[in-house]
Amino acid sequence: YCDVAGEENVYVFSFPLLGNPIENGEKLHEFIQMVKEQRNTDKVNLAAVSMGGTVLASYLNYEQADYNDINCIINVVALLNGTDIIADFLTRGYEGFNLEDQFFFSEFLPRIFEEMDGSPALGYAVNILLRILPRKVLESVITAAADAAFGQLIVNSPQFWAMIPNDRYDVLAEKYLMDEEHAILKEKTDAFHEAQAALPQNLLTARDEYGVRVGYIAGYNLTY
């Protein structure tokens, strides 16, 4: 894309894996205004890559977002409606868990550990163990890892809740987020899942009322 558009016209919006997806959407709006000013243009193209799909969902539902700012949206294997992998961590259901998923084990886990403690080493160690353990042992390892991570990572991270499929959110929120301790967090996760539920209509509005072109590059025939 840099070869086509010119590297000076390509901007990367970075966001924390353990952050708040609603705030990420608001910050993307500010980022777009900065890009428009720097490049002296009225519109931008958005490429939502992987977890960038959660940022897109939040941004399109942000009340100050102006769809006139957008020329084109391309979703690149974007996480627009969560992934069952994260929901299965919370329900302990591993029937559909893909042990051959290169991204999840070799890239995603190390990134998470690196953001938590500054080093991806533990993530790579887990990656190796997951590949040599028998299936039944692996499930117990995953369950133990999930239990250990609940308090500081999965349950208390709005970004992880943004990775829950919308049709599974209410049941899991009822199980984990109804106590007073998680009241503020639930406000954030509810807000995102409202944006996630509104995403199909927001994309149609952008396309039909504002002339935004919308396209998808999807991972067909890939389990993840």
Side-chain angles (χ1 to χ4, degrees):
Y1 187 76
C2 290
D3 291 340
V4 174
E7 187 171 344
E8 72 278 4
N9 293 315
V10 178
Y11 287 72
V12 177
F13 176 75
S14 299
F15 58 95
L17 290 178
L18 303 182
N20 183 347
I22 290 296
E23 291 180 359
N24 292 338
E26 296 171 359
K27 291 177 180 177
L28 176 59
H29 170 70
E30 298 172 1
F31 189 82
I32 289 172
Q33 306 315 308
M34 179 271 291
V35 171
K36 287 172 54 183
E37 182 177 354
Q38 286 194 4
R39 305 314 305 160
N40 191 28
T41 184
D42 294 329
K43 295 179 181 291
V44 301
N45 299 318
L46 297 177
V49 181
S50 188
M51 287 176 65
T54 65
V55 182
L56 176 70
S58 176
Y59 165 72
L60 291 178
N61 210 50
Y62 181 41
E63 60 181 13
Q64 295 186 36
D66 185 353
Y67 293 177
N68 286 312
D69 289 340
I70 310 170
N71 173 60
C72 177
I73 296 172
I74 298 294
N75 292 294
V76 185
V77 198
L79 200 68
L80 301 177
N81 188 33
T83 169
D84 285 321
I85 287 179
I86 299 300
D88 287 346
F89 266 126
L90 298 177
T91 61
R92 306 302 198 278
Y94 306 116
E95 293 80 4
F97 204 81
N98 177 22
L99 303 186
E100 303 303 319
D101 191 318
Q102 294 292 325
F103 172 79
F104 186 75
F105 292 119
S106 65
E107 297 185 44
F108 186 72
L109 282 179
R111 287 183 196 174
I112 292 298
F113 282 111
E114 183 171 19
E115 189 152 316
M116 288 178 65
D117 61 15
S119 171
L122 183 56
Y124 289 122
V126 172
N127 175 31
I128 294 172
L129 288 174
L130 293 178
R131 294 186 180 283
I132 64 177
L133 294 175
R135 175 81 188 204
K136 184 165 289 188
V137 177
L138 173 58
E139 290 188 3
S140 65
V141 169
I142 293 174
T143 298
D147 286 339
F150 275 172
Q152 61 179 340
L153 184 60
I154 296 178
V155 169
N156 290 317
S157 171
Q159 185 63 58
F160 271 85
W161 281 96
M163 298 172 70
I164 300 294
N166 209 52
D167 60 352
R168 300 182 67 177
Y169 171 70
D170 288 340
V171 171
L172 291 171
E174 180 75 22
K175 182 176 181 179
Y176 291 104
L177 299 179
M178 298 307 293
D179 59 310
E180 184 177 348
E181 180 183 354
H182 292 100
I184 295 177
L185 173 63
K186 190 172 185 298
E187 290 180 7
K188 298 177 181 179
T189 59
D190 283 350
F192 174 78
H193 280 276
E194 289 177 9
Q196 187 184 56
L199 178 60
Q201 183 56 56
N202 286 339
L203 285 170
L204 288 173
T205 298
R207 185 193 68 180
D208 297 339
E209 297 184 20
Y210 293 85
V212 177
R213 292 178 293 164
V214 181
Y216 304 85
I217 299 174
Y220 289 113
N221 295 320
L222 300 177
T223 303
Y224 189 65

